[in-house]
Amino acid sequence: MNQTFQNLDYEKQNRIINAALQEFAENGFEKASTNRIVKTAKIGKGMLFYYFQNKEELFYYLINYSLNLANTKLLEQVDKKEPDFIERLKQIAQSKTEFHLNHPNVLNFLGNLFLTGTLEIPVHFKKRYQEMMNSRISLLYEGIDTNLFRKDIDTEKAFKLIKWSIDGYQNELIAHLKNQNLTMINYDTYWEEFYELLDILKTLYYKKEEEQE
């Protein structure tokens, strides 16, 4: 990659990255069109190949960019010391929702790239992706205080039901806010509804406060 790309202003750099992410996510490497990328990014084709020598170099740049961004925005912002499973899931859900809305093409790109298994990519990228997935599992369960849960329910099943509930609300929220002007949205109403959901989940699955002492 030409260093000039790193020196571009944020808006133009972001346009190129998002156009390329979308194209590769939707069409894969072989069918991805650099003509469509430059049209969406609103730049000349010659400029794209000035920044990147070829389509493969652009593709590898996007993998590295997406993995770095996902690690920073999805993993590092969650407090692993939080022992309450629902409270930790709240942090993860907020982080993931904001990530989806601000970087809509990154998770689609990574998911299509690594989960389909149809494209051969360098081993070190596969290793980094697996490490990220392992960190996500650790982020969910490591250090969780299972004593918060009622004694008459299966904790492992409760984990799944709680996660499904929160994932479902999060996916509904993302679908509702998709393509809206995010700078004009007041998120307080959505998060208030989300916190009400969490309170209901705690009532269903956790011991009463006096029983936790």
Side-chain angles (χ1 to χ4, degrees):
M1 179 189 64
N2 192 309
Q3 183 62 36
T4 307
F5 181 72
Q6 296 288 52
N7 296 332
L8 286 176
D9 66 84
Y10 175 80
E11 192 276 332
K12 186 173 183 179
Q13 193 178 115
N14 212 39
R15 266 202 341 261
I16 296 169
I17 288 172
N18 279 316
L21 283 171
Q22 182 178 350
E23 179 65 23
F24 283 117
E26 292 178 355
N27 299 292
F29 178 79
E30 292 297 334
K31 294 181 179 179
S33 165
T34 54
N35 287 329
R36 284 194 293 264
I37 291 173
V38 297
K39 183 178 180 181
T40 303
K42 299 177 181 177
I43 62 169
K45 191 168 185 178
M47 291 307 298
L48 182 67
F49 290 113
Y50 175 67
Y51 301 136
F52 302 93
Q53 290 185 9
N54 49 47
K55 188 167 80 168
E56 185 178 64
E57 185 178 73
L58 170 61
F59 184 65
Y60 289 161
Y61 171 83
L62 293 175
I63 298 175
N64 189 61
Y65 167 86
S66 298
L67 289 172
N68 286 342
L69 195 63
N71 268 308
T72 303
K73 300 295 184 180
L74 290 178
L75 301 180
E76 294 179 3
Q77 296 184 9
V78 177
D79 182 9
K80 292 182 180 180
K81 295 180 181 178
E82 172 56 69
D84 185 320
F85 183 65
I86 292 176
E87 288 296 320
R88 193 181 296 185
L89 271 181
K90 178 179 76 174
Q91 293 181 21
I92 293 172
Q94 288 177 318
S95 176
K96 192 174 179 182
T97 299
E98 290 171 5
F99 188 90
H100 262 293
L101 295 173
N102 290 306
H103 309 282
N105 296 311
V106 170
L107 292 185
N108 289 337
F109 173 75
L110 288 176
N112 289 345
L113 178 63
F114 290 101
L115 298 182
T116 61
T118 57
L119 185 65
E120 197 60 41
I121 58 175
V123 174
H124 68 278
F125 283 135
K126 292 181 180 179
K127 184 179 179 181
R128 284 182 60 193
Y129 182 77
Q130 189 56 54
E131 288 172 351
M132 187 176 77
M133 291 298 99
N134 292 340
S135 294
R136 286 187 64 186
I137 294 171
S138 172
L139 201 61
L140 270 178
Y141 302 110
E142 188 178 299
I144 292 297
D145 183 3
T146 56
N147 289 321
L148 295 173
F149 289 85
R150 286 167 38 191
K151 291 182 179 180
D152 60 337
I153 62 174
D154 185 316
T155 304
E156 292 300 319
K157 290 178 180 177
F159 278 153
K160 291 181 180 179
L161 289 168
I162 292 168
K163 188 174 183 302
W164 289 339
S165 298
I166 292 177
D167 284 349
Y169 179 85
Q170 172 191 283
N171 291 336
E172 184 180 294
L173 177 60
I174 290 169
H176 178 71
L177 297 179
K178 188 176 181 181
N179 298 325
Q180 293 192 37
N181 185 342
L182 302 182
T183 61
M184 303 296 290
I185 294 172
N186 182 354
Y187 291 96
D188 291 346
T189 303
Y190 296 107
W191 291 127
E192 284 172 12
E193 185 180 38
F194 180 57
Y195 297 150
E196 288 174 5
L197 169 66
L198 298 185
D199 287 338
I200 293 171
L201 291 174
K202 287 185 178 182
T203 301
L204 289 172
Y205 297 107
Y206 281 7
K207 297 173 184 174
K208 295 179 180 178
E209 287 187 17
E210 57 269 22
E211 295 175 332
Q212 296 176 13
E213 296 177 356

